[in-house]
């Protein structure tokens, strides 16, 4: 068999795979190793007791972590609020480090690597490898190793990136009480107290959007898919953005029967047309994904045995084990009391 180009929908970072799980290679960048003690200290408004903090950050994702670390490095007294310090707890699933670390880029890339293995093996005969086989994929083993890596990263963010920078990390959510005060709702105890800050930074990130249709409560998003106890044998992915295409390709590579439903004529609206057309041809010709354009679910029905039925706008029905919505994201501003 002659070599051919493998399909892939995203670029990947390099990882090393060990017997105990995944291990990302640590950066040698001096910027990431910079100690807060080497930075020039600015005058702190908290020194005279006017405020509890110079900067209070609500949200422990990429933006919040970066802002708090840099501010602390320049001498500001900083606290960061994040609702969870450990990943995988419903309904948030995310934790310190934000979407990318917990339910985004990092676990998704690990999933991509796993899903590409069967295709790579099939091509190996053309490179001289004889007798190579796909083997069998164990969803539970993958999740165990994936979770171990994300737990490691949670610890890195909390105890090295932020703690070493002098940032006080509080497991809590926050809502604005005044221009310079925040009501802090502690996750572990349920208690609430008010703290003051000269500056308040809202860095809460986004949350998956799902339309309001009958049965939408039976569907999952890019949050829950990383924590499913069983791999769905049949999955419907709804959406036409890159997240929808990525997960359709991932689940196809892992052996699930995948149907991709998109309400428009061609997915990846706003992207380069040549790329959109090429990906359509690749997905239809070199994958087992059932791509359905101009298809929009109107109802999700859950049967007594737990299986789901997707009913589209024309009344067509499709039975499956899971329905994943990847229909965009919106700001996670509920509960911030921005009014």
């Amino acid at each position: 068999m002659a070599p051919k180009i493998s399909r892939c929908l995203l670029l990947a970072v390099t990882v090393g795979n060990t017997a105990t799980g995944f291990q990302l290679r640590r950066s040698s960048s001096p910027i990431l190793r910079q100690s807060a003690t080497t930075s020039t200290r600015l005058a702190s408004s908290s020194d005279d007791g006017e405020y509890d903090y110079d900067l209070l950050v609500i949200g422990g994702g990429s933006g919040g972590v970066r802002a708090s670390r840099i501010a602390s490095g320049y001498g500001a007294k900083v606290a960061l609020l994040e609702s969870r310090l450990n990943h995988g707890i419903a309904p948030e699933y995310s934790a310190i480090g934000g979407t990318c670390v917990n339910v985004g880029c990092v676990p998704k890339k690990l999933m991509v690597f796993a899903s590409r293995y069967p295709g790579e093996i099939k091509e190996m005969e053309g490179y001289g490898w004889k007798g190579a086989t796909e083997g069998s994929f164990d969803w539970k083993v993958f999740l165990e190793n994936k979770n171990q890596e994300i737990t490691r990263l949670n610890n890195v963010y909390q105890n090295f990136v932020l703690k070493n920078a002098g940032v006080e990390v509080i497991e809590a959510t926050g809502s604005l009480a005044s221009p310079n005060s925040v009501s802090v709702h502690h996750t572990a105890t349920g208690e609430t107290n008010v703290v003051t800050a000269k500056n308040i930074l809202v860095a809460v990130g986004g949350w998956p959007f799902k339309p309001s249709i009958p049965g939408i409560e039976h569907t999952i998003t890019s949050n829950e898919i990383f924590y499913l106890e069983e791999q769905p044998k049949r999955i419907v992915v709804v959406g036409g953005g890159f997240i929808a295409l990525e997960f359709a390709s991932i689940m196809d590579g892992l052996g699930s029967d995948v149907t991709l439903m998109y309400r428009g004529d061609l997915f990846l609206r706003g992207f380069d047309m040549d790329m959109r057309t090429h990906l359509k041809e690749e997905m239809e010709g070199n994958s087992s994904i059932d791509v359905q354009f101009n298809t929009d679910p109107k109802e999700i029905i859950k049967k007594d045995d737990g299986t789901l039925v997707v009913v589209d706008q024309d009344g067509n029905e499709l039975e499956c084990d899971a329905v994943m919505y990847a229909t965009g994201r919106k700001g996670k501003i509920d509960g911030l009391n921005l009014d």
Side-chain angles (χ1 to χ4, degrees):
M1 180 185 297
K4 65 179 181 179
I5 299 175
S6 300
R7 69 184 189 278
C8 183
L9 295 178
L10 56 83
L11 298 176
V13 297
T14 302
V15 299
N17 191 359
T18 68
T20 57
F22 304 106
Q23 183 72 33
L24 292 179
R25 292 180 182 170
R26 291 171 174 79
S27 171
S28 59
S29 169
I31 296 177
L32 297 181
R33 301 195 307 268
Q34 178 180 345
S35 169
T37 58
T38 64
S39 301
T40 303
R41 177 173 173 81
L42 302 179
S44 173
S45 61
S46 61
D47 290 343
D48 57 13
E50 183 178 359
Y51 299 106
D52 297 318
Y53 301 97
D54 298 303
L55 176 65
L56 182 66
V57 179
I58 305 176
S62 300
V65 168
R66 173 73 175 175
S68 60
R69 183 175 70 84
I70 296 301
S72 181
Y74 280 102
K77 184 179 181 182
V78 182
L80 180 144
L81 308 182
E82 173 56 47
S83 60
R84 297 287 183 185
L85 300 184
N86 297 291
H87 70 100
I89 303 174
E92 296 92 350
Y93 293 100
S94 188
I96 192 73
T99 297
C100 182
V101 168
N102 297 277
V103 289
C105 320
V106 174
K108 182 178 65 179
K109 287 169 182 172
L110 297 178
M111 220 175 226
V112 166
F113 300 153
S115 71
R116 292 182 65 185
Y117 178 77
E120 298 282 352
I121 288 297
K122 288 179 180 178
E123 296 175 7
M124 287 302 102
E125 185 177 350
Y127 292 95
W129 290 97
K130 298 183 181 298
T133 61
E134 297 178 20
S136 60
F137 177 70
D138 192 317
W139 178 269
K140 292 184 182 295
V141 170
F142 172 81
L143 288 190
E144 180 181 346
N145 288 331
K146 184 271 296 182
N147 289 339
Q148 180 179 333
E149 172 60 12
I150 305 306
T151 297
R152 185 187 72 83
L153 292 175
N154 290 157
N155 180 62
V156 168
Y157 270 83
Q158 180 185 352
N159 294 313
F160 293 90
V161 175
L162 293 171
K163 184 177 181 180
N164 286 352
V167 177
E168 180 182 351
V169 180
I170 304 172
E171 189 175 33
T173 58
S175 59
L176 300 180
S178 76
N180 292 99
S181 63
V182 171
S183 294
V184 179
H185 315 284
H186 295 267
T187 303
T189 65
E191 298 176 351
T192 299
N193 66 296
V194 177
V195 299
T196 60
K198 183 178 181 180
N199 300 285
I200 300 170
L201 174 64
V202 176
V204 292
W207 192 255
F209 168 79
K210 295 196 291 186
S212 180
I213 64 171
I216 196 67
E217 67 274 10
H218 304 311
T219 66
I220 63 173
T221 68
S222 55
N223 287 344
E224 295 87 359
I225 195 166
F226 293 113
Y227 297 96
L228 296 179
E229 293 185 3
E230 302 287 342
Q231 178 182 354
K233 295 180 179 179
R234 304 163 298 172
I235 184 170
V236 173
V237 180
V238 182
F242 61 87
I243 294 178
L245 270 62
E246 284 172 346
F247 276 103
S249 294
I250 287 169
M251 298 308 292
D252 175 60
L254 296 179
S256 297
D257 292 332
V258 181
T259 300
L260 176 66
M261 294 183 177
Y262 177 52
R263 63 184 180 180
D265 296 325
L266 184 61
F267 43 50
L268 294 177
R269 183 180 62 182
F271 285 74
D272 177 79
M273 180 56 73
D274 288 344
M275 184 187 71
R276 297 169 69 192
T277 303
H278 176 68
L279 286 175
K280 172 181 178 293
E281 294 170 351
E282 286 293 308
M283 293 182 75
E284 291 180 338
N286 291 319
S287 81
S288 300
I289 302 171
D290 179 11
V291 182
Q292 299 184 7
F293 293 111
N294 300 302
T295 304
D296 193 13
K298 292 300 179 184
E299 183 180 8
I300 312 295
I301 301 172
K302 187 171 185 178
K303 300 171 66 174
D304 292 340
D305 62 0
T307 58
L308 303 175
V309 177
V310 179
V311 184
D312 70 16
Q313 77 277 14
D314 296 323
N316 300 310
E317 297 185 356
L318 179 63
E319 188 173 289
C320 60
D321 302 301
V323 179
M324 175 184 168
Y325 265 79
T327 48
R329 298 173 68 86
K330 62 178 182 178
K332 192 180 179 183
I333 60 174
D334 295 343
L336 286 176
N337 194 31
L338 297 178
D339 297 337

